[in-house]
Amino acid sequence: MTRHDGRAPYQLREVRITRNWLDHAEGSVLVEFGRTRVLCAASFTAGVPRWLKGQGTGWVTAEYEMLPRSTNTRSDRESRKGRVGGRTHEISRLIGRSLRAIIDTKALGENTIVLDCDVLQADGGTRTAAITGAYVALVDAIEDARSKKLLSATAAPLTGSVSAISVGIVNGEPVLDLDYPEDVNAGTDMNVVMTGSGEYVEVQGTAEGKPFDRDLLNTLLDLAAKGCADLTAMQEAALTATPRERLR
Amino acid sequence: MTRHDGRAPYQLREVRITRNWLDHAEGSVLVEFGRTRVLCAASFTAGVPRWLKGQGTGWVTAEYEMLPRSTNTRSDRESRKGRVGGRTHEISRLIGRSLRAIIDTKALGENTIVLDCDVLQADGGTRTAAITGAYVALVDAIEDARSKKLLSATAAPLTGSVSAISVGIVNGEPVLDLDYPEDVNAGTDMNVVMTGSGEYVEVQGTAEGKPFDRDLLNTLLDLAAKGCADLTAMQEAALTATPRERLR
Amino acid sequence: MTRHDGRAPYQLREVRITRNWLDHAEGSVLVEFGRTRVLCAASFTAGVPRWLKGQGTGWVTAEYEMLPRSTNTRSDRESRKGRVGGRTHEISRLIGRSLRAIIDTKALGENTIVLDCDVLQADGGTRTAAITGAYVALVDAIEDARSKKLLSATAAPLTGSVSAISVGIVNGEPVLDLDYPEDVNAGTDMNVVMTGSGEYVEVQGTAEGKPFDRDLLNTLLDLAAKGCADLTAMQEAALTATPRERLR
Amino acid sequence: MTRHDGRAPYQLREVRITRNWLDHAEGSVLVEFGRTRVLCAASFTAGVPRWLKGQGTGWVTAEYEMLPRSTNTRSDRESRKGRVGGRTHEISRLIGRSLRAIIDTKALGENTIVLDCDVLQADGGTRTAAITGAYVALVDAIEDARSKKLLSATAAPLTGSVSAISVGIVNGEPVLDLDYPEDVNAGTDMNVVMTGSGEYVEVQGTAEGKPFDRDLLNTLLDLAAKGCADLTAMQEAALTATPRERLR
Amino acid sequence: MTRHDGRAPYQLREVRITRNWLDHAEGSVLVEFGRTRVLCAASFTAGVPRWLKGQGTGWVTAEYEMLPRSTNTRSDRESRKGRVGGRTHEISRLIGRSLRAIIDTKALGENTIVLDCDVLQADGGTRTAAITGAYVALVDAIEDARSKKLLSATAAPLTGSVSAISVGIVNGEPVLDLDYPEDVNAGTDMNVVMTGSGEYVEVQGTAEGKPFDRDLLNTLLDLAAKGCADLTAMQEAALTATPRERLR
Amino acid sequence: MTRHDGRAPYQLREVRITRNWLDHAEGSVLVEFGRTRVLCAASFTAGVPRWLKGQGTGWVTAEYEMLPRSTNTRSDRESRKGRVGGRTHEISRLIGRSLRAIIDTKALGENTIVLDCDVLQADGGTRTAAITGAYVALVDAIEDARSKKLLSATAAPLTGSVSAISVGIVNGEPVLDLDYPEDVNAGTDMNVVMTGSGEYVEVQGTAEGKPFDRDLLNTLLDLAAKGCADLTAMQEAALTATPRERLR
């Protein structure tokens, strides 16, 4: 059986990672998974939130939000509604946790990095694109801090790389990297966050409608491992293509 | 190696399910996992939210909240802060999804059931206790609606049962049903929601500090299956001990 | 004429005061006036709000809230509405003032006690039950602070005891401790807060529909004095039955 | 013993009631109790809030607020803080209840009257001045509605008049109509709302610091009765001095 | 062609500036442009907002708000809606900028002056009346600070005077100082803020419906200059009539 | 004297107008004024807000917001602060008014167009870029509605074109299209919105620090007219380069 856009079940959409899309941010990436387009900005600032002060450790956090017309029909702005929705909170927290998993906060020192992930266009997989792009922006922000002597040349806060992908059951078949039309029809939906060395950072599987069994879970985990390995290679390619110091 | 409270790794804390703890609610349960104590109230009302009207399907949703002094040190009320926190939103949504997984919303008709899960005392595992208790309250609310002819005698909105448990790595060892002291020291933390027939509704695993590998994931899933099976038996026992119509 | 539940006009509902209902709080009481059930938790913390700092005096305050399904039909959560309602504010302030009336804040030193009064089930008289139960929780929290040397053994912040009861005119007859069905039919409704020595801390009488005259006011005050004296005896009994140090 | 401004214990401050202070409102009064100055505007509109529709009864409600520089030192605006404070809610509710006590909502028909009481300058007794002034604005608004045929000529929604005064213990002596310097030093503080025929609508007594006994309560009630009788006479004088139809 | 109230095109409404309308504020003015009535209170306090600390400069800011029944039909309070509307923000910012234009913040030292402009009655031109009145209140507040030695006798924070007026096209004719009926029918609407020496502080012209050309713009600017010159004379008259030290 | 980036005083920065930058929106433009980059999305929906219903006229409105890292240092999100700032409100209202000036709402019928203008990168002139880009997005949205028969082929809601530019005094010299470093040093700052036929829609001039005289005002208006004429030509070029029907 074929997917509606002709992809094989284990195939990612076309992925593009454009570094330094912004001039001001310490690191920035426009990441595209097909038509999904997320702008990831990494802001490096000296100091940590009050509750962390004096402990010699840094902080990495993230904020995710969708532009009102990133979607098919316009959504109201959360700023106008005066409250941040549950889904927005949930995804922001997921991105933050995922990046902290590959950060040695001691090595970061008392510095904070905020990852702003703003969805400019949504076509499924916005959270996985955000994590995948934010990692690259994070690497650039750390390099930038090193070049400005905000971090010592030998500080190594990164302990690995991280990427994320969605997997699910569409028309009874396990597939990788669901776009929006697939997502709304998916029976089971899972987001998997993995390190470059193939370990799990986060596994979030949800039965939509019908519970799933252990065999299916295993198949989906296999697919996700394949997808994250592909993304890891693309992240590396993007980061080595042009050294950070050449970008500006 | 022994757990700090003497339990075996695969052992639940003492679980108590007290039905009809409230007089007004259509279904209500005080559920205890050791010292964790959650009050689950199921409110059955005719009608559905506006966006569902006229489709002939019902709605099940949940709201989770912690009392300010359910915890070791007092937390500020979310009502006073004027905003609901991300964690509260996230858990409310998880409980709602978990219960909808075993509900046939067509069979429910245009009726709404709200599950209020208020944590009276917290000692780890509040979300898993909430799901486990809310299921029992939900069963009672449906039975109550049937007895009041709000549902026809033959309507069967329940398609199964659901329970939830946490698993994690404590002191290097996989254990079931972590209490708070274990939870803060856990390397990996996973919440698993399963049906009574042993299928997955939700799998949420998070590396705290150190990513985890596939073997460990499998071990944790085995433990969780054991825990959910035990909880399913306790839910059944609670529901059959006393028929609903005898409770009031 | 008889009341709908068979009580005499001057008769309280069955009152139960269960100390130490929670494990974490410095003092805690589950207080029941018939079917009304309020969980009172007293949190003792060193330090005072900013505006009191450096004056050598302590602070006692209270927060009252109702669980959404404490009532006959479910109410929306104030945390979700993003604002605390007028009634909730009003009752929280009343409870705080009532307890401060029997506290010598100088003797308390720069310490704060917060009384959280959460209504688990409402059947009329929730504010009077809250004050009556909160006093007992407050005594236990002070004793606990003394045993932990947060207060000196000779510090005597308590200057008396306090309890509260409602009185009103139901079917033309003055009655004590109205339950919800009586409350909605009451012509005049009064809440009276008194010390154990029979003095007034707060008198709040409201004509519902029809103004009331001085004679009626006097009759209601007599009834309230009787009710508060009864509650004072029950508070004493609860507090002396088991010394605090034996409770845990 | 003399009061700091030379008044006798049973003496009101100079009271001024200026009708029709605004051009747009259906009724409006600038009421002054000494330096306390409250602008009361009565807005009459056809229709009632949703929860009252179709019952053939009207609605009277009030909103109280202080201008930021009505007080000695500037207070932040509640609109900027994004939340209405507890005291503001409490007083708004008190004013609304007080006016509803002398309104026959059936006779009002499905119409709403909102009383906006904005404190332009505060020197103690703002809530009692607000009630006293709002009554006069309410009478004018009803007359105005009659003249515009929004109410029939025979409709008689007013069942009496209402006024309010504060009483308290200052320097050990019971006094009437406390100004701000007296209020901050008062041992006991009571606000009494009475009808023109001398019955109680609301009695709110609060011990500040030291509980009070029954004798003192009686003395304060006597003083309040005297004050409300004086205010009733002034309200009548203001209303009869110039007929409403001559005012514009 | 004549205006509906008989004024000439270049004619202001009757303007009244009443100083010291409040007892507590350091400066206060009730300013009236015809039936438009704005209460301006200037609050002088030592210290500056956090972001200005240690720079040796002062701060002047303003808050504008309309009472709910200042208008023809009642508007909801922004405090109850929980958010300040765009128009309120916009006008508050305009008033603040206008006054800062004639303040030497260095000469003010680390002191803050807040101008509260509350519209008691609205009939067009509330923002221009507010600026015109707030200037006079500001002068009085500075004089008051000097008399209390909060400012040195030689400090001269005022660098000029400021007033404001509206101009617009009504029935095809350029007119000065539009009242509300004119404002709603105006084709183009412009607010001009000028110093006493005839220079511009702010020019805000808005085409309502139909764009306007350069000639019309020039005509409107001429009219505005005439209006501001008249207002400047009235401000001076008000300020010299009675020296500040005689007012209280 | 030369500008810091070498531009002549009357010279715009490089302007780029990229149509159809988004796939979902009915019209969308990425507009760049030098490094300032604003994403304008036009959403066309049938129906109008409640207060306009049944009048046969349409509605055009705008919402402006800055991404947190569009600026040099990160700003907090307004959605997280729970309130929209005054500047954001003010600019949103300006954009909406500017576009309504060239719309015949009768010809639009009961349809709504929302213009979302999100600043991806800020370097001065964000509001003028937003208006200039939003006009192009608006034209495309109207064309799109026509092609989908949501508007009749003969409906002509556009009555002209609109663009906007900033002018100001930098280092004593009047200049066009200020970038951020110029803006912070500008003595006077003016935003001018003009139609394609050279008439004014909005003129907003603000003295920063020092009031300005009539001659300077005239010079600035001349500069702005030149800038808007240039922008009008670029808008036309962008719109004619590729017909809308070829874009997708």
Side-chain angles (χ1 to χ4, degrees), chain C residues 123-138:
Chain C
D123 187 31
T126 60
R127 79 190 71 187
T128 55
I131 292 168
T132 303
Y135 165 71
V136 177
L138 178 69

Side-chain angles (χ1 to χ4, degrees), chain F residues 70-83:
Chain F
S70 58
T71 43
N72 247 301
T73 55
R74 187 177 185 276
S75 315
D76 287 339
R77 285 174 195 269
E78 296 186 328
S79 59
R80 303 290 160 132
K81 289 191 282 187
R83 58 185 73 188

Side-chain angles (χ1 to χ4, degrees), chain F residues 81-245:
Chain F
K81 289 191 282 187
R83 58 185 73 188
V84 175
R87 180 182 172 277
T88 297
H89 267 310
E90 202 170 308
I91 298 180
S92 296
R93 286 157 55 91
L94 169 65
I95 300 171
R97 279 199 311 272
S98 298
L99 294 171
R100 283 193 297 275
I102 48 102
I103 282 285
D104 174 350
T105 51
K106 281 283 173 201
L108 184 56
E110 293 213 353
N111 295 296
T112 296
I113 304 178
V114 180
L115 277 305
D116 284 294
C117 299
D118 286 274
V119 179
L120 304 186
Q121 188 161 280
D123 188 31
T126 58
R127 80 189 71 186
T128 55
I131 292 167
T132 303
Y135 166 71
V136 177
L138 179 68
V139 173
D140 275 343
I142 287 169
E143 198 51 50
D144 184 79
R146 231 180 243 126
S147 75
K148 291 175 182 156
K149 313 287 186 207
L150 299 171
L151 278 181
S152 82
T154 58
L158 281 168
T159 63
S161 78
V162 71
S163 67
I165 200 65
S166 71
V167 285
I169 307 297
V170 179
N171 298 324
E173 193 178 16
V175 296
L176 185 70
D177 188 20
L178 288 67
D179 66 11
Y180 183 73
E182 291 179 328
D183 193 44
V184 294
N185 291 312
T188 290
D189 183 23
M190 186 175 282
N191 289 291
V192 181
V193 185
M194 298 182 78
T195 62
S197 57
E199 291 189 303
Y200 296 99
V201 167
E202 189 97 19
V203 174
Q204 293 199 340
T206 302
E208 305 279 351
K210 198 166 97 59
F212 54 96
D213 63 20
R214 186 75 171 261
D215 283 349
L216 187 49
L217 176 59
N218 281 327
T219 306
L220 291 174
L221 289 170
D222 292 342
L223 263 183
K226 155 80 169 78
C228 284
D230 288 354
L231 289 170
T232 298
M234 291 176 201
Q235 289 173 323
E236 275 170 25
L239 282 165
T240 52
T242 315
R244 169 74 187 175
E245 58 273 25

